[in-house]
């Protein structure tokens, strides 16, 4: 099954005309033929099953066969991700967080951030590729980088932060019965290559937050944020 990104998709459509990069991928890379069934998503909870009925040098047309709508969970998962020195490692984290179903991705700059430039359009393309690969009907909301202290300062009482820390709590010690049912957002974060400063850790500990131990070994930032996302998504959605 091949999934294509078509942000204009609505449940009122009968046909989809595909152009540009998505059309090139369909015709030149995947070489999909007339009569083949394919899928489209708008990245906002709709997936349409369609059949390719027309193809030219510049575009193609598909007839929609059926729609399926997915509903987001009321509890939002926000990944507060450090910008990393090695761009490919940062992009790997974005890809895997999308595959895991994170709702929002907020890159941050902290006191020990080494590299501060951020290519929004490239990052957005990585998220789009990841929803297509994983058949995820929801494209995460991606924001431009923010200062870590600024983001933490703006947290609300119905936000709960989990952050990776060597001396944190064991994951198996968590119980759903201990969490407020009025929670709106789960924020998950880890430090950059140089780790959080003591000042930044103190900011976290002044908020509604829980430090979690992610194992005995020291993890790279991108490994730690993926591990944390996987654990928490499974825990709260089970």
């Amino acid at each position: 099954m091949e999934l294509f990104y078509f942000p204009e998709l609505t449940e009122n459509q009968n046909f989809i005309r595909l152009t540009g990069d998505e059309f090139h991928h369909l015709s030149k890379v995947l070489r999909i033929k007339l009569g083949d069934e394919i899928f489209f998503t708008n990245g906002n909870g709709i997936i349409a099953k369609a059949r390719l009925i027309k193809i030219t040098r510049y575009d193609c047309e598909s007839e929609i066969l059926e729609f399926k709508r997915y509903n987001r969970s009321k509890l939002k998962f926000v990944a507060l991700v450090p910008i990393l020195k090695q761009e490919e490692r940062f992009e790997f984290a974005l890809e895997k967080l999308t595959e895991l179903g994170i709702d929002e991705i907020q890159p941050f700059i902290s006191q020990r951030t080494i590299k501060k430039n951020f290519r929004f359009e490239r990052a957005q393309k990585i998220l789009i590729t990841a929803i297509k690969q994983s058949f995820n009907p929801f494209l995460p909301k991606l924001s431009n980088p923010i200062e870590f202290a600024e983001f933490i300062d703006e947290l609300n009482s119905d936000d709960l932060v989990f952050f990776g820390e060597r001396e944190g709590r064991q994951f198996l010690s968590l119980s759903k019965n201990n969490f407020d049912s009025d929670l709106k957002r789960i924020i998950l974060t880890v430090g950059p290559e140089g780790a959080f400063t003591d000042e930044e850790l103190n900011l976290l500990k002044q908020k509604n937050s829980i430090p979690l131990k992610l194992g005995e070994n020291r993890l790279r930032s991108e490994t730690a944020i993926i591990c944390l996302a996987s654990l928490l998504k499974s825990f709260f959605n089970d």
Side-chain angles (χ1 to χ4, degrees):
M1 298 188 298
E2 299 297 341
L3 181 65
F4 296 89
Y5 179 58
F6 192 77
E8 298 84 7
L9 178 65
T10 71
E11 291 175 285
N12 297 322
Q13 290 177 246
N14 295 315
F15 300 93
I16 292 177
R17 177 175 172 266
L18 204 60
T19 61
D21 291 341
E22 289 291 82
F23 167 67
H24 179 270
H25 187 64
L26 178 149
S27 62
K28 304 300 182 183
V29 179
L30 299 175
R31 299 184 181 278
I32 293 175
K33 298 178 175 60
L34 290 176
D36 288 350
E37 290 186 352
I38 53 179
F39 294 82
F40 296 91
T41 183
N42 62 355
N44 195 32
I46 295 177
I47 288 184
K49 180 180 179 180
R51 179 181 292 112
L52 186 63
I53 60 173
K54 180 181 178 181
I55 188 165
T56 72
R57 292 178 58 188
Y58 307 104
D59 61 11
C60 66
E61 188 172 6
S62 299
E63 179 185 15
I64 295 177
L65 304 176
E66 62 182 68
F67 289 97
K68 185 171 183 179
R69 172 172 284 280
Y70 298 81
N71 295 317
R72 285 188 183 273
S73 169
K74 292 182 179 180
L75 184 61
K76 304 301 181 188
F77 289 83
V78 181
L80 184 58
V81 187
I83 295 179
L84 303 178
K85 180 180 179 181
Q86 295 185 350
E87 190 171 27
E88 65 271 17
R89 294 189 181 278
F90 175 71
E91 292 175 349
F92 179 79
L94 298 184
E95 177 184 77
K96 300 310 171 187
L97 290 170
T98 302
E99 291 178 13
L100 288 168
I102 294 299
D103 299 292
E104 299 180 23
I105 297 177
Q106 173 63 71
F108 74 81
I109 297 170
S110 64
Q111 294 182 32
R112 289 177 176 165
T113 298
I114 298 172
K115 179 180 177 180
K116 299 184 179 182
N117 63 306
F118 174 70
R119 295 192 285 175
F120 185 92
E121 289 186 4
R122 177 176 172 85
Q124 185 78 351
K125 287 182 179 179
I126 289 169
L127 304 193
I128 291 171
T129 299
I131 66 168
K132 291 160 56 179
Q133 185 277 328
S134 59
F135 234 78
N136 181 357
F138 294 105
L139 180 67
K141 176 185 176 182
L142 178 67
S143 299
N144 279 306
I146 190 172
E147 292 288 340
F148 179 78
E150 180 182 351
F151 182 91
I152 299 302
D153 186 59
E154 294 176 352
L155 290 175
N156 299 313
S157 59
D158 50 12
D159 294 328
L160 174 60
V161 182
F162 289 90
F163 62 99
E165 188 177 49
R166 293 292 296 275
E167 304 304 320
R169 289 176 56 177
Q170 295 286 348
F171 176 73
L172 291 178
S173 71
L174 299 180
S175 171
K176 287 185 181 179
N177 296 329
N178 295 332
F179 297 114
D180 193 332
S181 60
D182 293 330
L183 280 176
K184 296 287 182 61
R185 296 194 303 173
I186 297 295
I187 316 294
L188 50 112
T189 190
V190 298
E193 285 100 338
F196 288 127
T197 63
D198 290 340
E199 180 181 352
E200 289 164 344
L201 286 173
N202 287 333
L203 285 175
L204 282 168
K205 292 172 182 178
Q206 290 170 15
K207 297 293 183 176
N208 186 18
S209 66
I210 297 175
L212 280 184
K213 184 174 183 177
L214 300 177
E216 298 298 329
N217 298 336
R218 183 172 61 185
L219 304 179
R220 290 182 180 271
S221 295
E222 71 275 12
T223 307
I225 194 76
I226 294 167
C227 176
L228 193 56
S230 179
L231 289 171
L232 294 175
K233 283 285 291 184
S234 296
F235 177 76
F236 283 100
N237 289 339
D238 186 8

